[in-house]
Amino acid sequence: MKSSRYAIGIDYGSDSGRVLIVDIQTGEIKGMHVMPYRHGVIVDVLPNGSTQLPKGSALQNPADYLEVMEIGIPQAINQSGIDASQIIGLGIDFTSSTVLPVDQNLMPLCLKPEYRNSYHAWVKLWKHHHTKKQTDRIYTLATQRKENWMRKLGYNISEEWMIPKILEVFEDGKDIYNDTAYFFEASDWLVSLLTSSLIRNNCSLGFKAFWNEEQGFPEEFFNLLHPEFGKTILSKLGGEIKNVGTCAGYLTEEWAKKLSLPIGLPIATGIIDAHSAVLGTGVYQAEKLLMVMGTSTCHMMLNPEQKEISGISGVVKDAILPGMYAYEAGQSAVGDLFGNYVKKHVPQSYYLEAEEMGLSVFDLLEKKAKALLPGENGMIALDWHNGNRSILSDADLSGLLIGLTLHTKPEEIFRAYLESTAFGAKIIAETYKEWGMNVEEVVACGGLPQRNPLLMQIYADVLNMPIKISKSDYAPAIGAAILGAVAAGSENGGYDEMEIAIQSMSQPIEKTYYPVSEDVEVYEKMFKYYKQLHDYFGVGHIGVMKALKQFRNQKKEINTLLPLEC
């Protein structure tokens, strides 16, 4: 109907992008197009086929992001059957700490012929773990100086964040650094491109770039890292900083033609994907914990007060909802952990059995794992296969599986991995509680909760709380559409107040998993052992995993390895 109004929400994940056309009055998804990135995650060699990458690299091609818009938006509109004139706003969310260098005209350096073979010219994805040297330097200096801004970052620095990645380019790719006009979070790059402006969002800067609303960037600290770095970095982080929930600008004529959208369409200020999911699920009240579960998991909470919680990924005011402090914690490997196990460690006989039964290997493993009682596999795992984001904030930690025997079956290991991520989530939830943030309700969204009932039952039992599952596994994109509707404002048929937009457009709860008392009792006992392993390898004896990582990376001689008891 012509009177209906719609907003576009674009969600950029680690492996694909999703374009949604959302009715701003009902939250109904009228059209959708999902596009895997053509180049995926680049980990071994650049697209030229010859430039080898260092271990730990995780790069992407920004042309894939443009393709999501240029193909996905017209496709989604066509599927929806609406007229483009009914679209009143557009919002974008993106995986955070996805950093790219661009020139003065916002052209990514890696797309220019002279830079295509340069490792540092490409997008560095959040899970690019090749900045340990820079991260350690930043952390050491910041703790020595007792930098005030660290208090809002959980007193820690992550290898994944923006500044370590930029410092890596400064130290190891100086020519690229010098030729870079701006380093952008990918969400801000796209918003700036669409509006022909320089816009940055307070959400990404506050959580990932050492910025806060009171002091801005720590210029003196940047100078102490290196005088030239301090002298040049602020201009490369230039642009107008806008809060989430504001209008960043308006769609240019050039992009309107490319995307088949109205000229001057309001474009929302960007947001981190997991933070956008808070809006899309309607979990915006205090004392509610949202788990955004995909390749990794983010654990989001809002609170009217600022609490400086050790080990979380940060706290930023107005980063999701005006007047509220947003808190983020996370696990670096969840869906990634399960997928890696299935792809690399499940025997061929299971693939054949799954084929005979007409099941996927995932479904077969879940079926077999569901037949096991809690603890029956006799194993506990540490879910650190991609490092630990919270509460230890150490990308050098690695996975552990204890309790293996000659009789261990693949489904027993699979269940141990499912349980390990639930135990990791419990560590985070208990940390929130220890710092005075009650967790009265837990909601989960994303691809994993929708398709993995055993996993969610385990979470309910381990957390000993009901787990509510959001109806849509596209919550971040719904949140982005909500921001698009708010960016439009009432004068363009949208919303002036964020809460009203959330109430109108957010997705309802589809299902609830309740804890089973006898299983809760077993998992409480198992969690005590998990916590012992967590503290032993993550706090008291971190040298074990770090030494083994040096063997794997072959960067040091055996006699220079870290002592086991460090």
Side-chain angles (χ1 to χ4, degrees):
M1 295 176 59
K2 189 68 176 176
S3 60
S4 297
R5 302 180 303 281
Y6 304 90
I8 295 177
I10 310 178
D11 167 43
Y12 285 92
S14 298
D15 302 300
S16 61
R18 287 150 289 282
V19 178
L20 268 61
I21 311 294
V22 183
D23 188 316
I24 73 161
Q25 294 158 309
T26 66
E28 181 185 359
I29 299 172
K30 298 294 290 185
M32 177 172 60
H33 189 77
V34 180
M35 283 195 66
Y37 300 142
R38 186 183 300 274
H39 297 88
V41 180
I42 304 167
V43 296
D44 297 318
V45 63
L46 288 182
N48 62 19
S50 59
T51 303
Q52 296 293 321
L53 301 179
K55 289 183 179 179
S57 299
L59 311 181
Q60 286 193 321
N61 188 334
D64 295 344
Y65 308 152
L66 300 179
E67 194 172 63
V68 168
M69 290 197 304
E70 293 174 2
I71 295 177
I73 290 177
Q75 291 271 17
I77 292 174
N78 183 62
Q79 184 190 100
S80 71
I82 69 169
D83 190 277
S85 63
Q86 296 173 265
I87 297 171
I88 63 166
L90 181 151
I92 294 173
D93 74 79
F94 219 112
T95 54
S96 64
S97 302
T98 300
V99 182
L100 71 158
V102 303
D103 67 13
Q104 198 70 37
N105 298 315
L106 304 185
M107 169 68 77
L109 296 194
C110 64
L111 300 184
K112 302 178 78 169
E114 62 267 37
Y115 299 113
R116 284 176 184 163
N117 298 331
S118 176
Y119 155 63
H120 292 293
W122 293 78
V123 176
K124 293 184 178 178
L125 190 60
W126 62 269
K127 56 183 175 180
H128 174 79
H129 286 166
H130 198 258
T131 60
K132 174 174 171 50
K133 176 178 67 174
Q134 291 78 20
T135 304
D136 287 348
R137 282 187 52 226
I138 292 170
Y139 177 79
T140 300
L141 180 61
T143 52
Q144 286 174 348
R145 288 174 47 83
K146 299 181 180 179
E147 291 284 349
N148 180 269
W149 49 265
M150 278 193 75
R151 295 161 55 192
K152 295 187 177 183
L153 296 174
Y155 298 93
N156 240 315
I157 307 296
S158 171
E159 239 183 291
E160 298 174 355
W161 292 349
M162 187 182 206
I163 301 302
K165 286 174 177 164
I166 297 176
L167 187 58
E168 180 197 12
V169 180
F170 174 81
E171 294 182 343
D172 300 336
K174 195 65 177 301
D175 56 333
I176 297 297
Y177 180 87
N178 290 338
D179 290 347
T180 297
Y182 306 104
F183 286 98
F184 269 112
E185 282 274 3
S187 59
D188 291 334
W189 171 62
L190 289 174
V191 168
S192 297
L193 205 61
L194 295 179
T195 60
S196 188
S197 58
L198 288 177
I199 301 295
R200 298 182 188 268
N201 73 84
N202 67 322
C203 182
S204 295
L205 291 182
F207 280 102
K208 311 300 176 182
F210 306 174
W211 175 91
N212 65 65
E213 68 279 2
E214 298 165 354
Q215 300 161 315
F217 291 106
E219 185 174 359
E220 181 182 353
F221 180 78
F222 290 156
N223 276 302
L224 290 173
L225 281 174
H226 192 286
E228 185 181 350
F229 184 75
K231 183 179 179 181
T232 55
I233 184 61
L234 291 186
S235 67
K236 297 177 188 293
L237 294 173
E240 183 180 1
I241 299 172
K242 291 196 172 187
N243 283 2
V244 168
T246 61
C247 180
Y250 302 92
L251 191 65
T252 66
E253 181 177 357
E254 176 188 0
W255 277 101
K257 290 178 179 178
K258 286 183 180 180
L259 304 177
S260 302
L261 292 174
I263 299 171
L265 184 74
I267 307 297
T269 301
I271 188 172
I272 297 172
D273 55 353
H275 302 60
S276 185
V278 174
L279 306 175
T281 56
V283 185
Y284 63 95
Q285 302 89 350
E287 300 188 342
K288 292 188 177 184
L289 171 65
L290 175 67
M291 299 188 299
V292 187
M293 304 178 68
T295 54
S296 61
T297 293
C298 285
H299 305 72
M300 308 299 305
M301 290 194 75
L302 295 178
N303 197 284
E305 299 178 358
Q306 177 177 302
K307 299 176 185 293
E308 295 162 354
I309 305 175
S310 296
I312 67 163
S313 298
V315 50
V316 180
K317 186 179 181 182
D318 303 326
I320 297 178
L321 195 72
M324 296 285 275
Y325 287 90
Y327 295 79
E328 176 192 345
Q331 293 167 272
S332 296
V334 182
D336 263 1
L337 170 57
F338 311 146
N340 180 74
Y341 174 65
V342 169
K343 291 176 184 177
K344 296 182 179 178
H345 302 291
V346 174
Q348 184 64 26
S349 60
Y350 274 60
Y351 281 86
L352 295 174
E353 183 180 353
E355 186 177 353
E356 290 176 2
M357 297 176 66
L359 299 173
S360 70
V361 179
F362 277 103
D363 289 339
L364 176 64
L365 283 170
E366 183 174 52
K367 180 179 180 180
K368 290 176 178 287
K370 186 178 181 180
L372 300 170
L373 295 173
E376 185 181 348
N377 57 8
M379 290 184 292
I380 291 179
L382 290 177
D383 53 318
W384 300 344
H385 295 59
N386 203 24
N388 180 286
R389 187 181 298 164
S390 301
I391 56 172
L392 301 173
S393 295
D394 192 340
D396 271 348
L397 296 175
S398 52
L400 180 140
L401 185 63
I402 190 168
L404 285 165
T405 75
L406 294 177
H407 303 289
T408 298
K409 297 178 180 178
E411 59 266 27
E412 294 176 324
I413 297 175
F414 184 68
R415 179 155 185 144
Y417 284 156
L418 299 182
E419 293 167 342
S420 73
T421 65
F423 291 141
K426 186 177 178 73
I427 291 279
I428 291 169
E430 292 201 341
T431 301
Y432 275 132
K433 292 176 184 177
E434 288 168 5
W435 285 80
M437 291 178 60
N438 294 327
V439 179
E440 298 294 335
E441 183 177 305
V442 180
V443 178
C445 69
L448 287 179
Q450 289 285 332
R451 295 185 285 273
N452 295 271
L454 174 60
L455 177 68
M456 301 322 300
Q457 184 60 53
I458 289 172
Y459 271 67
D461 295 335
V462 169
L463 295 176
N464 194 19
M465 293 185 69
I467 307 293
K468 298 181 177 180
I469 310 301
S470 175
K471 181 180 179 180
S472 174
D473 57 357
Y474 299 110
I478 296 288
I482 288 172
L483 292 176
V486 174
S490 59
E491 67 272 21
N492 293 306
Y495 296 99
D496 292 327
E497 296 183 27
M498 184 89 79
E499 290 192 29
I500 296 176
I502 295 170
Q503 292 163 8
S504 301
M505 299 174 65
S506 62
Q507 303 298 290
I509 298 301
E510 180 178 51
K511 183 176 183 179
T512 302
Y513 291 86
Y514 295 93
V516 178
S517 56
E518 54 266 36
D519 293 346
V520 168
E521 186 177 348
V522 174
Y523 281 130
E524 284 179 349
K525 295 176 182 177
M526 292 179 67
F527 178 71
K528 292 178 181 178
Y529 294 117
Y530 177 92
K531 185 67 164 58
Q532 287 181 25
L533 293 170
H534 174 280
D535 292 348
Y536 186 92
F537 288 101
V539 180
H541 300 80
I542 58 175
V544 176
M545 290 180 174
K546 293 177 184 291
L548 293 174
K549 189 168 186 178
Q550 289 179 9
F551 274 113
R552 182 168 64 249
N553 290 343
Q554 298 179 349
K555 290 182 178 179
K556 295 181 182 288
E557 298 296 331
I558 293 176
N559 61 4
T560 66
L561 291 175
L562 290 169
L564 292 181
E565 299 301 319
C566 71

